[in-house]
């Protein structure tokens, strides 16, 4: 196990000390992702128990669902909720860092949607894992109608509910994207254009002292835009959590375990791959490579 404190204790300590800058959330995230890896091991262990029961007892029992799987699913979902609560708290202090997270790699940055994963990606993940598990099934099992209890056994009813949830999610995702677009356009509103012109003239006149005097106006102009970003980020995170819970509610406990395994594996591995790529690029830049001046560094 890691020597890092738990994400809950770290958040509590940072909040108590009023220490909510970017570096603090970075450390919180490091604690949280270690815990996610621990949860992944728990989920994999549970899936092996399920597989063993299928082989020797003809399927997972109600006792296993109630005693092991449902509490495990609740813990994992609560861990995601804990992340978004902490993120919301830190965002109110420094929302810009949430849109340019130093704790994520360049690879992850390229696929972010409003500071996190795109909610509709949950459905692509579900269908991809379901397809892979279906391909791994023996033809004889399919012919005989035998079930594994995993995502290859999604019923017609479940698929219908997933499709309905996906349509709702896509609609809400689009609404939030449009809200962000309108907010981004305010960077070129009349107040910003007038202010940027006024400060530019002072710079050309080399009136440095008067440029400094404009900082209050700059902060006043940017404040409502940052508040808008906080609101958009909260909406995006709410939709991410709503989508995750919606998918889990549609699945059986056994299927939920397989889905959360796939989600954790994808998140953790992409994070690892991205960090390794950034480290290689940083090493090449430090070595004075030809393309060194174009490197993307993560702090």
């Amino acid at each position: 196990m890691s020597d890092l404190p738990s994400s809950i204790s770290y958040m509590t300590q940072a909040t108590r000390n009023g220490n909510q800058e970017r570096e603090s959330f970075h450390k919180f995230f490091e604690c949280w992702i270690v815990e996610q890896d621990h949860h992944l091991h728990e989920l994999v262990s549970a899936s092996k128990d399920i597989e063993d029961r299928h082989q020797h007892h003809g399927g997972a029992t109600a006792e296993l669902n109630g005693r092991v799987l449902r509490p495990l699913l609740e813990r994992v979902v609560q861990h995601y909720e804990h992340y978004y609560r902490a993120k919301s708290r830190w965002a109110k202090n420094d929302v810009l860092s949430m849109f340019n997270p130093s704790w994520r790699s360049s690879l992850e940055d390229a696929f972010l949607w409003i500071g996190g994963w795109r909610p509709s990606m949950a459905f692509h993940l579900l269908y991809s894992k379901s397809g892979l598990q279906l391909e791994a099934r023996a033809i004889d099992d399919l012919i005989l109608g035998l079930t594994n209890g995993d995502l290859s056994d999604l019923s017609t009813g479940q698929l219908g509910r997933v499709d309905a949830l996906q349509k709702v999610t896509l609609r809400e995702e689009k609404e939030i994207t449009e809200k962000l677009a309108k907010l981004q356009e305010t960077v070129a509103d009349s107040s910003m254009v007038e202010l940027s012109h006024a400060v530019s003239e002072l710079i050309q006149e080399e009136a440095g002292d008067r440029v400094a005097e404009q900082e209050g106006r700059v902060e006043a102009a940017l404040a409502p835009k940052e508040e808008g970003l906080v609101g958009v980020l909260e909406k995006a995170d709410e939709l991410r959590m709503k989508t995750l819970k919606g998918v889990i509610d549609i699945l059986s406990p056994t299927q939920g375990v397989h889905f959360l395994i796939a989600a954790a594996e994808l998140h953790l591995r992409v994070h690892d791959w991205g960090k390794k790529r950034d480290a290689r690029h940083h090493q090449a830049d430090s070595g004075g490579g030809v393309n060194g001046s174009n490197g993307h560094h993560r702090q």
Side-chain angles (χ1 to χ4, degrees), residues 7 11 25 28-29 32 36 76-92 98 103-104 112-119 121-122 230 233-245 263 267:
S7 59
M11 183 179 74
F25 192 84
F28 163 82
F29 179 77
W32 187 89
Q36 185 181 40
V76 175
V77 170
Q78 287 171 0
H79 189 240
Y80 281 103
E81 289 180 313
H82 168 55
Y83 172 77
Y84 289 118
R85 282 196 302 270
K87 187 179 175 184
S88 176
R89 183 173 297 180
W90 259 281
K92 289 179 174 63
M98 298 300 165
W103 46 92
R104 296 193 184 276
L112 288 183
W113 175 79
I114 312 183
W117 55 276
R118 185 176 286 275
M121 191 177 72
V230 171
L233 181 66
E234 288 181 345
K235 291 262 183 209
D237 285 343
E238 287 172 3
L239 183 57
R240 281 185 265 267
M241 202 65 235
K242 175 182 173 183
T243 304
L244 176 65
K245 286 183 172 181
H267 179 230

Side-chain angles (χ1 to χ4, degrees), residues 122-279:
F123 304 101
H124 295 286
L125 174 66
L126 176 63
Y127 292 135
S128 293
K129 190 64 177 181
S130 175
L132 289 169
Q133 291 184 331
L134 184 60
E135 289 177 5
R137 295 274 295 275
I139 296 297
D140 289 344
D141 287 351
L142 294 175
I143 293 174
L144 294 173
L146 300 179
T147 63
N148 286 350
D150 60 17
L151 297 173
S152 67
D153 289 328
L154 288 173
S155 68
T156 302
Q158 285 178 312
L159 289 171
R161 292 174 64 193
V162 169
D163 182 63
L165 178 61
Q166 184 175 15
K167 289 176 180 176
V168 171
T169 300
L170 286 170
R171 183 174 65 251
E172 294 184 19
E173 195 176 273
K174 181 180 178 182
E175 291 172 356
I176 297 171
T177 299
E178 291 174 349
K179 192 177 185 70
L180 176 62
K182 290 180 180 178
L183 181 61
Q184 290 171 328
E185 289 170 359
T186 65
V187 174
D189 63 19
S190 58
S191 65
M192 291 292 286
V193 173
E194 186 277 329
L195 182 57
S196 64
H197 174 68
V199 172
S200 295
E201 284 194 327
L202 291 175
I203 292 174
Q204 292 170 11
E205 295 170 4
E206 298 184 352
D209 55 335
R210 294 176 62 193
V211 171
E213 292 174 359
Q214 299 298 316
E215 290 184 2
R217 288 184 64 197
V218 172
E219 291 301 316
L222 292 177
K225 304 183 192 310
E226 291 191 26
E227 290 176 6
L229 288 175
V230 171
V232 170
L233 181 66
E234 288 181 345
K235 291 262 183 209
D237 285 343
E238 287 172 3
L239 183 57
R240 281 185 265 267
M241 202 65 235
K242 175 182 173 183
T243 304
L244 176 65
K245 286 183 172 181
V247 171
I248 294 298
D249 285 345
I250 293 171
L251 304 177
S252 70
T254 300
Q255 291 170 334
V257 166
H258 285 280
F259 176 76
L260 290 176
I261 286 174
E265 286 178 340
L266 184 63
H267 179 230
L268 291 168
R269 298 297 74 80
V270 171
H271 182 66
D272 289 343
W273 297 336
K275 287 175 62 178
K276 289 176 182 177
R277 287 169 64 90
D278 283 350

